[in-house]
Amino acid sequence: MDGTVLVADDDRTIRTVLTQALTRAGCKVHATSSLTTLMRWVAEGKGDVVISDVMMPDGNGLEMLPKIAQDRPGLPVIVISAQNTIMTAIQAAEAEAYDYLPKPFDLPDLMKRTARALESRRRVAPAAPVDAGADRPDDLPLVGRTPAMQALYRLVARVMNTDLPVLISGESGTGKSLIARAIHDFSDRRTLPFITVTATDLQDIEGPARVLARAKGGSVLFDEIGDIELESQARIVRMMDSPGDHVPRFMATSQSNLSQAMEKGRMRQDLYYRLGGATLEVPALRERVDDIPLLAEHFLLRSEKDGAPKRRLSRDVLELMRAYSWPGNVRQLENAIRRLVLTSRADEISRAEVETVLGNQPEMEPVLGGGNDTEKLSASVNRHLRRYFDLHGNMLPPPGLYGRILREVEGPLLEIALEATGGNQAKCADLLGINRNTLRKKITDLDIRVTRRRKLM
């Protein structure tokens, strides 16, 4: 890579890592913890690409994008943020950021995006100021930092202000209606009505006219379009073809495979293709297990705001939840958290209470332990993994198994190594043969409590 990169982040470790990586790649780097300094560099004409965090000590990085676009049209800005919600992705898209990555980001991926930004140096029109608060929900119930959800957020941001019909597919309980509502609430139509249409609304010939009159140019959502009778589907086609003077945005949700329904004659081909302007796939919860702790914390905080007792989940309980298959997806997780909050006997929800709520679904057991004293570690791991697969019968375990196994091993290893070194992270990193910054990150990610009570000689 060839060029100068401006890095703005209040985390010294991130600044150091990016500076070293970009320098090794052949770039010149200016790094700062201040948006004020960043904006001065931009005004002075420094930099070919900007990499900026959102929440900085002296301001919001997203709010600086219009000023950067005004001062330096065409200067690519890559936004990185620990605020892993759909709102951040949408605001970044609205402010015409070159790219957006959630924290923790994958360094090789960020390097590739930076290289593309340096190559492009494209000119873009000045962006309009971002008004994050106007007529928008304060607490959007869509959270997730997994790649699947971040990809979905980016798609939502791209289609938000287009007039394309949107088809949102996914299993029951994944949040399809929430996605549709988010598209409306963050779009230019957000001050207009949002109408949800079911099969009942289209039973008579005047149904479409009533729907259009209620919509008034806002958004119309056909809930579970695959469950609507063919006669009513024909009315939807005519409605979309002749919407009147105030054309609404048409969206639909479906948990069934509409292409198969079309082949079986249960879905009109003309309606299927009219709704397929943009298709969004909402992942099942078992396909984004790394979001479960984040979602659980979100639902705990929401319950607390609603007046419920304050509760917390131990790491052991969260691992149990991660291993569960969640056939009811996010809705099931939310209902489980609500029940646990109200029925738990202590501030910390116990594993037994979670097992009672979730039933007898096979879940991941600790990888290590058991067996005899002379059994090799690899044999113990092999035995436990085979038992875990056997518990699921003919079904595969939930996705994300590799990460769960690593956490099962890393957690105890780091705890014991830290205890053995008396909590001295430098000695512990040397013992393990890893970088000290890597150790710190793992301690944070795995929520390991550092103890200094015991030191092995």
Side-chain angles (χ1 to χ4, degrees), residues 11 54 73 77 127 205 252 340 387:
D11 188 319
V54 173
V77 180
I205 196 169
L340 289 164
R387 182 173 182 274

Side-chain angles (χ1 to χ4, degrees), residues 1-5 7 17-29 48-49 51 78 98 107-121:
M1 288 190 288
D2 180 26
T4 301
V5 181
V7 176
V17 168
L18 289 180
T19 298
Q20 292 175 348
L22 289 166
T23 301
R24 284 197 298 267
C27 295
K28 295 180 181 178
V29 182
D48 300 301
V49 171
I51 300 176
I78 299 175
Y98 176 82
L107 183 58
D109 183 34
L110 177 57
M111 296 293 288
K112 290 178 182 178
R113 294 170 190 258
T114 304
R116 287 198 295 268
L118 284 168
E119 290 172 3
S120 69
R121 293 184 176 91

Side-chain angles (χ1 to χ4, degrees), residues 392-457:
H392 287 81
N394 295 326
M395 297 180 62
L396 291 174
L401 179 61
Y402 184 79
R404 293 200 297 274
I405 295 296
L406 285 183
R407 279 186 292 274
E408 290 284 353
V409 175
E410 280 189 315
L413 174 60
L414 295 183
E415 288 177 348
I416 293 172
L418 283 164
E419 184 178 359
T421 55
N424 187 312
Q425 294 185 19
K427 290 184 179 179
C428 183
D430 184 61
L431 172 67
L432 296 172
I434 62 177
N435 184 275
R436 188 174 179 181
N437 290 331
T438 301
L439 175 63
R440 287 175 176 170
K441 186 176 185 303
K442 289 182 179 295
I443 290 173
T444 301
D445 292 345
L446 297 172
D447 192 24
I448 293 174
R449 296 179 180 177
V450 181
T451 177
R452 301 179 182 273
R453 292 180 298 172
R454 178 185 170 212
K455 182 176 179 180
L456 301 180
M457 301 303 292

Side-chain angles (χ1 to χ4, degrees), residues 202-216:
L202 301 167
Q203 285 180 344
D204 63 82
I205 196 169
E206 297 299 325
R210 289 194 296 268
V211 169
L212 291 172
R214 292 167 55 202
K216 299 177 181 177

Side-chain angles (χ1 to χ4, degrees), residues 16 43 48 83 92-93 103 113 116 152 177 189 223 260-261 271 281 339 346 350 370 405 413 450:
T16 301
D48 300 301
Q83 295 180 313
K103 289 181 178 179
R113 294 170 190 258
R116 287 198 295 268
L152 177 61
S177 296
R189 301 177 189 259
D223 188 42
Q260 291 182 2
L271 177 58
E281 292 277 350
R339 180 177 172 185
S350 70
I405 295 296
L413 174 60
V450 181

Side-chain angles (χ1 to χ4, degrees), residues 2 23 56 64 84 88 93 99 162 245 253 268 279 301 357 361 383 391 423 429:
D2 180 26
T23 301
M56 298 282 282
M64 296 295 106
N84 302 302
T88 309
D99 214 333
T162 69
D245 295 333
T253 64
R268 288 179 62 100
T279 301
L301 291 174
V357 169
Q361 168 81 13
R383 178 168 51 81
L391 284 172

Side-chain angles (χ1 to χ4, degrees), residues 48-184:
D48 300 301
V49 171
V50 173
I51 300 176
S52 177
D53 193 5
V54 173
M55 300 307 296
M56 298 282 282
D58 56 346
N60 185 305
L62 286 175
E63 294 175 356
M64 296 295 106
L65 290 179
K67 177 63 173 172
I68 293 175
Q70 179 181 343
D71 292 348
R72 298 276 302 281
L75 178 64
V77 180
I78 299 175
V79 174
I80 55 177
S81 174
Q83 295 180 313
N84 302 302
T85 69
I86 192 172
M87 185 180 296
T88 309
I90 288 174
Q91 290 175 344
E94 284 183 334
E96 298 188 10
Y98 176 82
D99 214 333
Y100 158 72
L101 280 85
K103 289 181 178 179
F105 54 80
D106 179 68
L107 183 58
D109 183 34
L110 177 57
M111 296 293 288
K112 290 178 182 178
R113 294 170 190 258
T114 304
R116 287 198 295 268
L118 284 168
E119 290 172 3
S120 69
R121 293 184 176 91
R122 74 198 193 293
R123 298 188 63 84
V124 295
V130 179
D131 185 359
D135 301 315
R136 296 187 174 186
D138 294 327
D139 183 24
L140 193 64
L142 286 168
V143 294
R145 62 167 59 97
T146 54
M149 288 304 292
Q150 292 298 323
L152 177 61
Y153 294 166
R154 291 190 183 96
L155 281 174
V156 169
R158 289 182 190 134
V159 306
M160 185 175 57
N161 283 318
T162 69
D163 293 326
L164 287 173
V166 177
L167 177 61
I168 307 168
S169 62
E171 296 179 7
S172 176
T174 52
K176 299 185 295 295
S177 296
L178 291 177
I179 293 291
R181 186 77 209 201
I183 291 173
H184 173 81

